[in-house]
């Protein structure tokens, strides 16, 4: 390559990076008074990280993400990463390494879109088959390749930086797989052989007989034993010459389903231990395991899988689910670290020197980051730490409580990245465990749906919530105004029994003439009103009704399709009585009305925020038929699974901050909201 060509190439790369790194998000500007990032809130847009120089947890565009490999694309000290998203938010992106935090955690750029239109689409990681598995790697000469593997075909592609695209260079017939692989990885040997590894489900049907959306569905027997299957993944391998792949390949099972991953191996990578390669796998439920003695593939006789351990020798358990994992090199070591992600954020695991162990370092970071609260975030806007600023406290699908501090000193909300909240000295981490409503395959989901309210009248904000179990509980704040401290969770009781209702429901709470009220979905999935007796007991007042006298049902679906409603009590129309703001999933119907309620009746377009105006009084509430939220005249639809509205009095009138299934927090200004 001559000098002129080299210079042209460098200039082209620079221009491309500048274009790709432009963000469509609201502008973040340095605040000279505070040294933090002053982020102006734009109605209809996600809130941005305003503290910590705008650096916050990296979150892909979708509900889940799959890191597929790393490569030195832009000449940094550490490699850049390729990440794919899920079927609800399809996308394939390149993240440029920017720098490390003082703790050594990598910080990446905003995502740059990569064109993979020539290749099969990556679908969501279901418990059964999906369309294709993929793996990205870099050769010693700097070229970047990707493999895409379906049930019967093997695609080899090369990365074209000038066009930000993967181009197919060969397509090969593949045999030996019983079904499409879930994950892929490989090892390029010095002799030019690519050793390929693929995880494949055993095809066992997870769900119990019948439809999990019908009332008659019985996933557990009378002894509480799961009546569905427990699918497992095996690992298949193939050895092939690279890059001259033959016209036909055959894979063979090298790790049996019995020794493989329970509920699925979602990601795989290879890391050397004393020069010998080990296969690292991540599972649906957050397991991290390894297999040794990989090579040669044609003669592989695997040993039992071993857990990956931390610096104390304790088995690692990834804090979130759908665990995908890739090797990632540090700046000054021959050992490889790990990046792991799935549903939720991406985490960094640092290799312990001279040991095959890994230290959890926390979440991978991103510049100009959007506030990220984890999948299905449920926000509350409240002054949590008593400094006079409105903070955000939230729950999420993985069962955590998060605190987003408002660090503003200029009477304008500026939110820092989240911190996890503890109770009784332990981080809150609710789990569904084996008996989760949708079975043991969702054992690691918690679906914390908190409402922040001074429940015991001592001037301190407490946390009341419903979760994956359908139970209602309260965390009393025993700290001080400026230093909140939660006691351990206590059940709410109704008539001497632990209060129960439809799962994943955020309760609505308000004070009416000195009496605290509590609104949630009951066991019949209908809007129900309770009043407070004391800090731990409720009194049944009865079901809420519409103007026509009918009860208000939340869903036409049954079983696991119930619940998921998020209540907010607020005098939205400023007429002196409380109204209801309700967040719904896409399949919700409020009221049921033969599947004609909202939002289902509106083109099935997605989760929505509804307004139920109180046509009665605070003492005898009666509600108008729900209306669909519009922003600047357009209906608001927010994904598939759920959305969660919270009122925020940033001014004289209530605005909305709505949590989405992708973990974003979207701000809606009162004046720009209308109701159908």
């Amino acid at each position: 390559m001559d000098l002129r060509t080299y210079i042209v190439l460098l200039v082209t790369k620079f221009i491309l990076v500048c274009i790709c790194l432009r963000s469509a998000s609201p502008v973040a500007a340095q605040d000279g008074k505070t040294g933090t990032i002053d982020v102006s809130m734009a109605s209809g847009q996600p809130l941005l990280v305003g503290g910590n120089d705008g650096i916050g947890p990296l979150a892909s565009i979708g509900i889940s993400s799959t890191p597929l490999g790393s490569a030195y694309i832009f000449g940094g000290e550490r490699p850049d990463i390729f990440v794919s998203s899920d079927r609800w938010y399809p996308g394939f992106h390149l993240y440029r390494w920017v720098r490390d935090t003082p703790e050594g955690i990598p910080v990446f750029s905003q995502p740059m879109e990569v064109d993979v239109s020539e290749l099969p689409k990556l679908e969501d990681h279901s418990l059964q088959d999906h369309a294709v598995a993929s793996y990205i790697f870099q050769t010693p000469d700097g070229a970047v390749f990707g493999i895409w593997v379906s049930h019967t075909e093997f695609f080899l592609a090369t990365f074209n930086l000038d066009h930000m695209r993967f181009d197919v260079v060969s397509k090969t017939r593949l045999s030996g797989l019983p079904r499409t692989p879930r994950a892929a990885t490989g090892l390029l040997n010095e002799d030019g052989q690519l050793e390929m590894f693929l995880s494949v489900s055993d095809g066992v049907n997870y769900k119990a007989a019948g439809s999990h959306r019908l009332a008659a569905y019985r996933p557990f027997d009378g002894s509480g034993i799961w009546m569905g299957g427990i699918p497992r993944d095996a690992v298949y391998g193939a050895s092939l010459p690279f890059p001259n792949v033959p016209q036909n390949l055959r894979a063979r099972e090298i790790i049996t389903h019995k020794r493989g991953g329970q509920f699925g191996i979602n990601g795989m990578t290879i890391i050397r231990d004393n020069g010998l390669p080990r296969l690292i796998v991540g599972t649906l439920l957050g397991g991290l395991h390894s297999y040794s003695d990989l090579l040669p593939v044609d003669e592989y006789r695997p040993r039992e899988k071993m857990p990956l351990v931390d610096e104390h020798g304790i088995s690692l358990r990834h804090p979130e689910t759908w665990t995908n994992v890739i090797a990632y090199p540090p700046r000054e070591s021959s050992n490889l670290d790990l990046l792991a992600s799935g549903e939720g954020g991406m985490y960094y695991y640092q290799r312990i020197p001279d040991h095959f162990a890994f230290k959890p370092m926390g979440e991978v970071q991103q510049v100009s980051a959007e506030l990220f609260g984890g999948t299905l975030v449920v926000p509350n806007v409240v002054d949590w730490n008593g400094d006079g600023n409105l903070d955000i406290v939230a729950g999420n699908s993985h069962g955590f409580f998060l605190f987003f501090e408002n660090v503003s000193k200029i009477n304008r909300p500026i939110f820092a990245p989240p911190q996890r909240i503890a109770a009784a000295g332990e981080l809150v981490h609710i789990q569904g465990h084996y008996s989760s409503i949708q079975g043991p395959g969702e054992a690691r989901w918690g679906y914390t749906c908190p409402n922040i309210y001074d429940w015991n009248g001592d001037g301190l904000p407490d946390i009341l919530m419903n979760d994956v179990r359908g139970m209602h509980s309260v965390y009393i704040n025993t700290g001080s105004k400026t230093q909140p401290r939660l006691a351990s969770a206590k059940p709410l009781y109704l008539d001497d029994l632990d209060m129960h209702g439809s799962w994943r429901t955020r309760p609505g709470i308000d004070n009416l003439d000195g009496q605290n009220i509590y609104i949630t979905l009951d066991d019949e999935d209908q809007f129900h009103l309770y009043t407070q007796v004391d800090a731990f007991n409720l009194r049944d007042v009865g079901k809420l009704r519409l103007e026509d006298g009918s009860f208000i049902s939340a869903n036409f679906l049954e079983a696991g399709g119930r619940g998921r409603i998020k209540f907010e009590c607020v005098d939205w129309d400023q007429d002196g009585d409380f109204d209801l703001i309700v967040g719904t999933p896409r399949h919700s119907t409020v009221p049921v009305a033969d599947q004609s309620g909202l939002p289902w009746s509106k083109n099935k377009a997605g989760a929505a925020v509804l307004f139920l105006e109180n046509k009665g009084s605070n003492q005898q509430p009666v509600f108008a038929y729900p209306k669909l939220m519009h922003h600047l005249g357009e209906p608001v639809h927010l994904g598939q699974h759920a959305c969660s509205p919270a009122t925020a009095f940033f001014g004289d009138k209530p605005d909305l901050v709505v949590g989405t299934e992708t973990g974003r927090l979207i701000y809606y200004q009162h004046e720009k909201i209308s109701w159908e």
Side-chain angles (χ1 to χ4, degrees), residues 397-414:
S397 67
H398 288 103
F400 296 110
F401 289 158
L402 303 175
F403 169 48
F404 300 81
E405 184 180 5
N406 184 349
V407 297
S408 173
K409 307 296 183 185
I410 54 177
N411 197 30
R412 186 182 306 158
I414 301 174

Side-chain angles (χ1 to χ4, degrees), residues 565-633:
I565 294 294
K566 312 300 188 289
F567 290 98
E568 178 80 331
C569 298
V570 61
D571 183 8
W572 184 263
D573 54 11
Q574 306 287 281
D575 65 352
D577 52 37
F578 82 96
D579 309 300
L580 289 178
I581 306 294
V582 176
T584 76
R586 179 175 70 92
H587 286 104
S588 183
T589 50
V590 182
V592 172
D594 297 324
Q595 305 184 17
S596 63
L598 294 168
W600 179 265
S601 64
K602 296 299 179 182
N603 303 316
K604 310 176 185 177
V609 179
L610 308 180
F611 172 53
L612 282 75
E613 182 184 358
N614 187 351
K615 292 292 192 177
S617 64
N618 286 337
Q619 293 72 35
Q620 294 182 320
V622 176
F623 295 93
Y625 197 89
K627 296 179 179 179
L628 187 68
M629 173 179 163
H630 286 61
H631 179 256
L632 297 176

Side-chain angles (χ1 to χ4, degrees), residues 432-614:
H433 302 299
Y434 179 89
S435 300
S436 174
I437 291 174
Q438 296 188 152
E442 290 211 14
R444 296 292 312 284
W445 278 265
Y447 300 116
T448 44
C449 298
N451 193 321
I452 315 303
Y453 195 83
D454 179 12
W455 186 243
N456 62 351
D458 63 355
L460 304 178
D462 310 302
I463 298 182
L464 298 98
M465 76 160 188
N466 179 260
D467 55 36
V468 65
R469 303 162 298 181
M471 307 302 296
H472 291 262
S473 54
V474 57
Y475 294 81
I476 296 296
N477 187 348
T478 60
S480 65
K481 185 175 181 179
T482 58
Q483 293 184 323
R485 184 174 62 250
L486 297 178
S488 59
K490 300 293 184 184
L492 287 177
Y493 291 96
L494 180 69
D495 291 335
D496 301 327
L497 184 66
D498 297 15
M499 184 172 166
H500 188 273
S502 293
W503 72 326
R504 299 166 60 172
T505 301
R506 178 186 186 263
I509 306 175
D510 205 348
N511 185 279
L512 306 178
D513 301 323
Q515 174 70 64
N516 286 335
I517 65 169
Y518 192 93
I519 296 174
T520 189
L521 294 179
D522 58 24
D523 280 337
E524 296 180 292
D525 211 39
Q526 293 179 329
F527 289 30
H528 209 116
L529 173 64
Y530 307 87
T531 56
Q532 181 188 27
V533 176
D534 53 43
F536 307 109
N537 290 272
L538 297 172
R539 178 182 294 108
D540 189 350
V541 176
K543 298 178 187 289
L544 294 175
R545 297 176 184 265
L546 296 176
E547 288 181 286
D548 62 5
S550 62
F551 297 139
I552 312 172
S553 297
N555 300 277
F556 70 87
L557 296 173
E558 301 282 353
R562 286 189 164 195
R564 308 167 189 254
I565 294 294
K566 312 300 188 289
F567 290 98
E568 178 80 331
C569 298
V570 61
D571 183 8
W572 184 263
D573 54 11
Q574 306 287 281
D575 65 352
D577 52 37
F578 82 96
D579 309 300
L580 289 178
I581 306 294
V582 176
T584 76
R586 179 175 70 92
H587 286 104
S588 183
T589 50
V590 182
V592 172
D594 297 324
Q595 305 184 17
S596 63
L598 294 168
W600 179 265
S601 64
K602 296 299 179 182
N603 303 316
K604 310 176 185 177
V609 179
L610 308 180
F611 172 53
L612 282 75
E613 182 184 358
N614 187 351

Side-chain angles (χ1 to χ4, degrees), residues 148-229:
W148 275 254
V149 188
S150 70
H151 187 187
T152 58
E153 291 181 310
F154 172 93
F155 296 81
L156 179 66
T158 183
F159 180 60
N160 184 330
L161 176 61
D162 293 334
H163 295 92
M164 292 293 286
R165 183 180 71 218
F166 274 95
D167 298 320
V168 175
V169 296
S170 66
K171 183 172 73 172
T172 299
R173 172 105 181 142
L174 178 65
S175 61
L177 299 180
R179 52 194 56 85
T180 298
R182 193 191 310 272
T185 193
L187 178 67
L188 186 60
N189 290 331
E190 294 179 355
D191 60 1
Q193 289 288 113
L194 179 63
E195 310 291 349
M196 182 175 64
F197 303 90
L198 306 163
S199 67
V200 182
S201 170
D202 59 6
V204 169
N205 186 21
Y206 169 66
K207 292 179 179 174
S211 173
H212 68 294
R213 300 299 193 192
L214 298 178
Y217 183 60
R218 295 293 182 266
F220 298 93
D221 68 12
S223 300
I225 304 301
W226 174 245
M227 297 181 66

Side-chain angles (χ1 to χ4, degrees), residues 223-371:
S223 300
I225 304 301
W226 174 245
M227 297 181 66
I230 306 293
R232 291 179 174 268
D233 273 16
V235 176
Y236 284 70
S239 182
L240 56 141
F242 177 85
N244 300 314
V245 182
Q247 292 185 348
N248 292 282
L249 289 176
R250 183 170 182 82
R252 62 180 290 269
E253 184 181 83
I254 59 174
I255 299 172
T256 66
H257 293 96
K258 182 179 180 180
R259 294 180 174 179
Q262 186 168 265
F263 294 108
I265 295 173
N266 297 291
M268 301 189 294
T269 194
I270 294 173
I271 288 183
R272 293 188 179 274
D273 179 26
N274 293 323
L276 299 176
R278 286 201 189 194
L279 180 68
I280 309 296
V281 305
T283 69
L284 169 74
L285 298 182
L288 290 165
H289 309 286
S290 72
Y291 300 87
S292 59
D293 299 332
L294 294 176
L295 303 175
V297 169
D298 293 339
E299 303 174 10
Y300 179 52
R301 298 293 183 269
R303 299 178 181 177
E304 293 293 333
K305 67 181 180 185
M306 298 294 294
L308 227 57
V309 299
D310 64 14
E311 66 269 36
H312 308 294
I314 304 299
S315 298
L316 285 168
R317 183 181 289 268
H318 192 62
E320 296 171 350
T321 54
W322 297 115
T323 310
N324 306 285
V325 60
I326 61 169
Y328 191 75
R331 300 170 80 170
E332 298 179 355
S333 175
S334 59
N335 291 325
L336 291 174
D337 302 328
L338 292 172
L339 299 181
S341 79
E343 184 176 306
M346 184 178 295
Y347 292 76
Y348 180 51
Y349 294 85
Q350 190 176 68
R351 176 80 175 270
I352 305 297
D354 303 320
H355 293 84
F356 197 72
F358 296 84
K359 181 180 180 180
M361 298 295 292
E363 290 181 279
V364 173
Q365 301 293 291
Q366 179 180 345
V367 300
S368 302
E370 296 171 341
L371 284 185

Side-chain angles (χ1 to χ4, degrees), residues 48-120:
L48 304 181
V49 172
N52 196 31
D53 296 326
I55 295 174
L58 185 150
S60 79
I61 64 170
I63 298 172
S64 63
S65 62
T66 304
L68 297 174
S70 65
Y72 293 90
I73 304 295
F74 300 108
E77 297 180 49
R78 303 186 79 176
D80 317 299
I81 57 174
F82 292 91
V83 180
S84 73
S85 193
D86 53 67
R87 68 182 176 97
W88 291 286
Y89 301 87
F92 198 103
H93 295 91
L94 172 62
Y95 292 78
R96 179 176 63 88
W97 177 83
V98 176
R99 59 183 178 272
D100 285 349
T101 69
E103 299 77 24
I105 298 173
V107 181
F108 293 96
S109 70
Q110 288 283 303
M112 296 170 273
E113 188 173 358
V114 178
D115 181 1
V116 291
S117 57
E118 289 189 21
L119 292 147

